[in-house]
Amino acid sequence: MVSSVRRGARLTIGALVLALVASACSRVVTLEAPQIDAVPQIPPEQSIVYDAEGNQLAVLRKEFRERVPLEEVPSHLVDAVIAAEDKRFLQHAGVDARAIARAAIANQAAGEIVQGGSTITQQLVKNLYMPAAPRTPETKFKEALLAHQLEEEHDKNWILEEYLNTVYFGNGAYGIQAAAETYWRKDARELDVAESALLAGMLRAPESLNPARFPDRARDRRAEVLDAMATEGLITPLEAERAKRRRIDVAPRPPIPATVEPHWVDFVIRTLQEDPSFGATREERSDRIYGGGLRIHTTLRPELQAAAREVISAHLSDGGDPEAAIVTIDPATGHVLAAAHAVPYDDLQFDLATQARRQPGSTFKAVVLAAALGSGYTPDSPTNGSQGRLTKPDGVTWNVRNASGVSYGRITLAEATRASVNAAYARLILDLGVSRVASLARAMGVESPVPDDAQIAIGGGSLAVTPVDMASVFATLANLGDHIPATPISRIEDADGDVVWRPDEIPRPAVRPADAFVATEMLQAVVERGTGRRARIPGWEVAGKTGTTNDYTDAWFVGYTATLATSVWVGHPQGRIPMRWVRGFPRVLGGTIPAEIWHDYMVRALAGEDPVGFTLPAEHYEVVEIDPETGLRAAPWCPGEPTPMPRTLVPDDTCPSPVPGEETTAQPSPEETRTATAVPASPSPEPSPSPTTPSSSSAPTEEPSGGSESPSEPATSESPTASETDGA
């Protein structure tokens, strides 16, 4: 079929390997090529995915493979694949330095990935040995090493045969024989030039070039491959023109419905693949998903998913606008009811709603607030909102600025929360301890890594979370402190209808109920009188928090009612692109477009429901007599009215007696001891408190401010966008 070629150009390969070594931090890895596993001839039983209303979303089936010897494959098929995927296949030794350089230049000029430099041998390596590996410099280096090793150990015929029997051709067909049977009900040996060129062209994007779904795309791509074959002298120009005129016609077959909500289906699949309770190994879990004949019932409410996309498009539809993602969770069950963004799956397989990790800004202050209330702080506890330099536990100086640039001085915890005062929360986490806050974040639903860095207090540093993480955190508060893990799956049945798997829906106490209720009341003030006013819904009690990161690269609003918790993120998928002058807003803050999107979406999500308020069960209250003037316990000299109060807010002291010697002296409360430290009484290196403290009724300014002493790493869709956040 194809003769072995002389292995030359060792200097070129060596130079490329050296470059790959440098990009992988000089970590040299020795790989041994494993043997190819036997491929089942009969696909296992397919699984079906449904939404919460029983509508079918996707059919999942095991790979369809059927091996065929290279000598039974038409030569024009081999020629088409080489022309389409790797013109220098017969000349290079596994890695084509020219192709890599050409792709790099083209991609840099286009500002995006428009060409790839992988050879057929490298693609085979990825298919056989690293199908799920991330595309990092290290994995590319390993791929190049193994590709070169394969070329040393095997001839070109072996490589072509393995490639043609493992490469994906769409529609669940792996290998050229499966593709021929899937599209034309024939053996691979019977493929003609036009059919061979069409299949070769599909290798670039098997699903989006599927001739059954996108015949025009498939026809255009087939023409490109035929022209390339003619240019290389593999067929004549006349043969190419004849083949171009052939109709795009595939054999009838039992239709496999197109996947509805593909991002959501991917989310469901990832959830199962990562859950050890679904199978002992990842391979076992994958076998069950694609071949177990399962009926996977998910929590997706299609009307909410549609509403989310429509609202996003209504707010962000102009060219150059940022994107947005919405995630809604039922606090009582942990069910993810919607996870949506407006980018089509064909344009971006990466899911902004469930995979994108971004700095949360001041939305993370909700975790610090819960930790503070659990440590004895109350809404009236004084804090220090003065801007200045603080020393973190690691000894590094941290310059903290407030959103408006105002040094608030002495301010209550409630005021610091409503106005999103960075300095107060920075001191708060230093008092509470970073590890305590990080541990609580995980308990409340943050699945992403939480760094041991005080900057998480204002959502900064290397902290990066998903919209699912933040919706889960606020759902925990809405559920009176009980956390139920977020899940997109309600149950899984076998083909007989027997339930074979359920998600973990056991509530785990994360925050004391009274503390969660008090935190909710404080976050209600953020919506009623603070930075989140655009999220107000008449008739409904709404609690929430805004968040804006440095340079306006990410903006959030995360809020909840008693029945639904929803996070909204707005930003550019590429990261580190400031959002300025978007839809009339000179700067996109958490309280602008994100809060408006949240409001418009939640109005639709709550339509038809009677407003439900936040309540705290009676067992968490204590009825005490409170002096209305001081807010302390009543005494004979200051009678009060019986007042039900959350137990965590019941004061220890009585009002002071007007008669000397008769007042009762109580021991300092835990929060008094802490706030004595939080608000310095003596001069310190920090700026002294501002003599002018904004009143609780004034509208806070939500605007980012810096807070990092170190540069940040380059941003990606999975990484934080900056180490400085405003917090507001």
Side-chain angles (χ1 to χ4, degrees):
M1 175 63 62
V2 177
S3 61
S4 299
V5 298
R6 180 176 57 84
R7 285 164 174 72
R10 291 293 186 266
L11 291 178
T12 301
I13 295 297
L16 178 58
V17 169
L18 286 176
L20 290 169
V21 168
S23 67
C25 303
S26 301
R27 293 178 60 190
V28 180
V29 181
T30 302
L31 299 176
E32 294 183 1
Q35 298 299 314
I36 295 177
D37 295 331
V39 179
Q41 299 300 304
I42 301 176
E45 185 178 355
Q46 66 187 14
S47 297
I48 303 176
V49 183
Y50 301 95
D51 66 21
E53 296 181 357
N55 302 306
Q56 182 173 300
L57 297 178
V59 174
L60 308 177
R61 69 179 185 183
K62 194 66 177 175
E63 305 164 356
F64 177 30
R65 303 174 187 257
E66 187 174 347
R67 290 186 65 82
V68 59
L70 186 64
E71 56 264 25
E72 295 184 11
V73 176
S75 59
H76 52 250
L77 172 62
V78 174
D79 292 340
V81 170
I82 292 176
E85 291 295 300
D86 187 0
K87 291 183 177 63
R88 286 173 34 82
F89 174 70
L90 299 180
Q91 285 75 49
H92 64 66
V95 180
D96 190 349
R98 294 185 190 176
I100 291 175
R102 183 173 60 250
I105 293 171
N107 294 340
Q108 184 176 19
E112 59 180 345
I113 297 177
V114 295
Q115 286 189 22
S118 293
T119 64
I120 286 175
T121 313
Q122 287 176 281
Q123 293 178 48
L124 175 62
V125 165
K126 184 179 185 302
N127 292 341
L128 291 183
Y129 312 130
M130 299 186 292
R135 310 309 290 162
T136 65
E138 183 177 7
T139 58
K140 291 296 290 183
F141 167 61
K142 293 178 182 178
E143 179 185 284
L145 277 182
L146 190 49
H148 190 56
Q149 180 180 328
L150 286 182
E151 292 267 358
E152 291 289 337
E153 296 179 355
H154 301 283
D155 62 21
K156 295 288 185 179
N157 287 340
W158 184 92
I159 292 169
L160 274 174
E161 181 170 312
E162 295 306 320
Y163 178 76
L164 290 174
N165 278 294
T166 57
V167 71
Y168 185 51
F169 287 95
N171 252 350
Y174 284 80
I176 193 64
Q177 180 66 23
E181 292 185 14
T182 296
Y183 295 109
W184 295 289
R185 286 289 186 266
K186 61 172 61 175
D187 287 332
R189 66 174 66 90
E190 299 172 327
L191 294 170
D192 59 29
V193 172
E195 293 163 345
S196 296
L198 188 148
L199 291 178
M202 289 177 63
L203 295 173
R204 173 183 295 178
E207 296 298 353
S208 61
L209 293 172
N210 184 331
R213 296 179 59 195
F214 307 108
D216 291 340
R217 298 181 190 175
R219 180 185 298 105
D220 292 343
R221 177 60 179 152
R222 181 185 66 179
E224 293 176 2
V225 175
L226 290 168
D227 287 341
M229 294 175 69
T231 300
E232 297 294 321
L234 302 172
I235 58 175
T236 67
L238 180 59
E239 288 175 316
E241 290 304 317
R242 286 175 177 171
K244 287 181 187 179
R245 290 195 293 269
R246 285 279 303 277
R247 292 179 54 189
I248 298 293
D249 193 13
V250 296
R253 55 169 297 165
I256 297 179
T259 297
V260 180
E261 298 291 348
H263 285 112
W264 175 266
V265 173
D266 285 354
F267 178 32
V268 170
I269 293 171
R270 286 196 308 272
T271 299
L272 292 175
Q273 286 179 330
E274 296 168 4
D275 189 343
S277 71
F278 189 66
T281 65
R282 189 177 183 89
E283 181 178 3
E284 180 181 327
R285 297 191 285 271
S286 183
D287 287 343
R288 289 189 72 187
I289 293 169
Y290 290 97
L294 304 175
R295 303 299 178 259
I296 303 171
H297 296 270
T298 75
T299 59
L300 181 71
R301 286 176 50 182
E303 76 280 8
L304 296 188
Q305 190 82 339
R309 285 206 186 89
E310 290 168 8
V311 169
I312 290 172
S313 297
H315 285 268
L316 300 169
S317 60
D318 292 343
D321 278 354
E323 304 293 346
I326 295 176
V327 171
T328 296
I329 292 178
D330 180 348
T333 62
H335 290 177
V336 181
L337 307 180
H341 56 89
V343 185
Y345 189 80
D346 283 347
D347 295 338
L348 182 66
Q349 285 75 54
F350 186 82
D351 188 2
L352 298 175
T354 65
Q355 291 180 287
R357 291 178 177 175
R358 296 300 187 97
Q359 286 185 326
S362 279
T363 60
F364 199 80
K365 287 176 181 172
V367 178
V368 185
L369 174 61
L373 295 172
S375 299
Y377 280 84
T378 72
D380 294 328
S381 293
T383 63
N384 186 349
S386 301
Q387 301 180 127
R389 295 184 178 276
L390 304 177
T391 301
K392 297 194 291 184
D394 56 9
V396 175
T397 300
W398 180 18
N399 185 28
V400 182
R401 295 188 292 130
N402 291 325
S404 62
V406 174
S407 238
Y408 285 78
R410 190 178 181 89
I411 188 173
T412 67
L413 180 59
E415 292 170 328
T417 301
R418 182 187 62 80
S420 200
V421 180
N422 292 336
Y425 268 84
R427 290 181 174 85
L428 198 57
I429 198 171
L430 295 179
D431 177 36
L432 298 169
V434 176
S435 61
R436 182 172 192 164
V437 173
S439 177
L440 181 59
R442 289 185 284 269
M444 293 178 71
V446 176
E447 297 290 339
S448 303
V450 181
D452 186 19
D453 184 351
Q455 286 180 258
I456 66 175
I458 57 175
S462 59
L463 177 64
V465 298
T466 67
V468 175
D469 287 335
M470 296 313 298
S472 187
V473 165
F474 282 69
T476 299
L477 294 176
N479 200 37
L480 287 176
D482 281 349
H483 172 66
I484 301 176
T487 178
I489 305 165
S490 58
R491 71 187 187 282
I492 298 179
E493 301 170 348
D494 62 17
D496 296 325
D498 296 325
V499 176
V500 296
W501 185 88
R502 287 189 185 276
D504 179 4
E505 295 182 354
I506 300 174
R508 295 176 174 82
V511 181
R512 292 183 303 187
D515 292 336
F517 181 76
V518 172
T520 294
E521 289 189 318
M522 296 170 70
L523 293 173
Q524 282 182 263
V526 173
V527 176
E528 291 300 321
R529 304 186 305 279
T531 58
R533 286 165 293 167
R534 285 185 171 89
R536 287 179 293 190
I537 301 176
W540 281 86
E541 293 184 6
V542 174
K545 188 71 188 74
T546 56
T548 312
T549 63
N550 193 59
D551 292 333
Y552 316 102
T553 56
D554 297 277
W556 298 73
F557 184 83
V558 189
Y560 55 101
T561 64
T563 58
L564 294 177
T566 295
S567 63
V568 174
W569 165 83
V570 175
H572 290 278
Q574 304 91 330
R576 282 197 174 179
I577 299 178
M579 294 183 290
R580 298 178 183 273
W581 293 110
V582 178
R583 292 303 178 102
F585 292 103
R587 300 176 302 278
V588 177
L589 311 172
T592 60
I593 294 175
E596 291 184 348
I597 289 176
W598 190 95
H599 167 273
D600 293 354
Y601 165 76
M602 287 292 284
V603 166
R604 294 180 59 172
L606 297 169
E609 295 186 19
D610 293 330
V612 179
F614 299 111
T615 59
L616 181 65
E619 62 266 25
H620 300 292
Y621 278 97
E622 181 176 341
V623 178
V624 292
E625 291 191 359
I626 298 295
D627 173 29
E629 292 187 6
T630 64
L632 301 175
R633 284 180 178 270
W637 50 84
C638 55
E641 294 292 330
T643 304
M645 300 182 67
R647 295 184 186 279
T648 56
L649 296 185
V650 174
D652 295 323
D653 298 339
T654 59
C655 59
S657 171
V659 180
E662 291 189 10
E663 59 266 26
T664 56
T665 303
Q667 294 296 320
S669 65
E671 67 270 19
E672 290 172 331
T673 303
R674 269 186 299 277
T675 52
T677 302
V679 185
S682 58
S684 70
E686 304 166 14
S688 59
S690 169
T692 304
T693 301
S695 67
S696 60
S697 62
S698 62
T701 301
E702 187 199 359
E703 188 173 338
S705 61
S708 173
E709 67 292 334
S710 60
S712 58
E713 294 297 322
T716 67
S717 291
E718 296 184 358
S719 63
T721 59
S723 60
E724 297 181 354
T725 57
D726 99 289

